[in-house]
């Protein structure tokens, strides 16, 4: 017997333009105060994988979904330390032009946004029904964000203001009506925006004119990736422990080779004795870039 259970978790297939990548760098885990935050250019670093004939999709045109290639720029990842990448939905910061109702449907409340106040790279989102499902978060007057509070866009259409007469009064009010052509104003309806039936006067807050807001998509959940840039990895440690090695008796040069018998490191081995020729220390000193290439493993062992 079916119980009607189902899931709605799906792999993300959003465009890299819908993603923001925040980079946090710290030289060690002990440094937690003076961290460095920068934003990386997601469209140039993040590339989606496309289906091919083996995956069953339309080859070269249909995004595989859930699988992206992330390039780490060498000019950013050039120091030892801990890099934390925070991938989040792109945030569109703008301001509410007005909060109003539709002239034909006074019960429909929403916020009005002037598209000219939207960053240029995101203005293509502000089209009819282009923001449905987006999340709206609100900022206080001091610039802080109202925590744990958001609204969801349920519709978005171009609009224009109209002046209407109030009933039983000489006052006039500004309302809005949808337009089919292009407009600099877009009317967003939000959820929740209607009063509960058990308390009709409790109107949900949807913002106020001139309030700064953050609009972001809900195409994927934020992801955090931690990358440790270290001087030695597991492979290099394995080479030092288990790789081929030679020690020149004549000059005391100690050489370690990688898996292909290339010179990996070289050291000078020598002893320090006192004036009575008593052994005090045995020293292994790195030769750095002063490599003696005559210590070729193949030449020595052949």
């Amino acid at each position: 017997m079916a119980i009607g259970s189902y899931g709605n978790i799906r792999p993300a297939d959003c465009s890299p333009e819908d993603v923001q990548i925040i980079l946090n760098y710290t030289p060690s885990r002990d440094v937690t105060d003076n961290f460095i935050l920068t934003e990386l250019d997601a469209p140039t670093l993040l590339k989606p994988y496309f289906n091919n004939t083996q995956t069953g999709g339309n080859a070269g045109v249909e995004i595989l979904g859930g699988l992206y290639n992330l390039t780490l720029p060498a000019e950013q990842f050039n120091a030892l330390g801990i890099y934390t990448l925070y991938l989040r939905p792109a945030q569109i910061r703008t301001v509410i032009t007005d909060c109003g109702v539709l002239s034909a449907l006074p019960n429909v409340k929403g916020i009005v946004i002037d598209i000219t106040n939207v960053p240029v790279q995101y203005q293509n989102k502000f089209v009819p029904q282009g923001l449905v499902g987006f999340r709206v978060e609100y900022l206080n007057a001091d610039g802080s964000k109202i925590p744990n509070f958001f609204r969801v866009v349920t519709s978005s259409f171009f609009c224009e203001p109209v002046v209407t007469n109030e009933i039983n009064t000489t006052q006039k009010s500004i309302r809005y009506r949808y337009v089919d052509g292009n407009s600099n104003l877009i009317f967003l309806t939000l959820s929740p925006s209607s009063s509960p039936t058990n308390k009709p006067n409790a109107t949900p807050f949807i913002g106020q004119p001139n309030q700064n807001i953050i609009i972001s998509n809900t195409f994927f959940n934020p992801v955090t990736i931690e990358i440790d840039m270290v001087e030695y990895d597991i492979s290099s440690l394995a080479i030092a422990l288990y790789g081929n090695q030679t020690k020149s008796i004549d000059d005391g040069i100690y050489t370690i080779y990688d898996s292909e018998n290339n010179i990996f490191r070289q050291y000078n081995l020598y002893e320090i004795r006192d004036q009575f020729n008593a052994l005090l220390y045995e020293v292994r000193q790195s030769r750095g870039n002063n490599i003696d290439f005559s210590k070729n493993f193949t030449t020595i062992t052949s």
Side-chain angles (χ1 to χ4, degrees), residues 19 37 56 99 119 135 140 162 172 210 232 290:
V19 182
L37 284 174
C99 297
R135 181 176 60 248
N140 294 309
V162 293
K172 298 181 182 296
N210 300 319
Y232 302 105
N290 185 24

Side-chain angles (χ1 to χ4, degrees), residues 90-99 110-114 117-119 122 126 131 134-141 143-146 149-151 153 186 188 190 205-216:
Q91 293 188 347
I92 307 172
R93 293 178 178 266
T94 185
V95 62
I96 298 176
T97 301
D98 192 13
C99 297
I111 61 175
V112 179
I113 295 177
D114 189 339
N117 293 328
V118 176
Y122 299 121
F126 289 72
L131 296 173
F134 278 54
R135 181 176 60 248
V136 180
E137 297 174 283
Y138 301 86
L139 301 181
N140 294 309
S144 62
K145 188 171 71 171
I146 300 177
F149 183 84
F150 66 92
R151 294 289 183 255
V153 178
I186 192 165
L188 307 182
L190 307 174
F205 178 80
I206 61 172
Q208 56 189 6
N210 300 319
Q211 184 174 15
N212 290 313
I213 58 174
I214 302 172
I215 302 176
S216 54

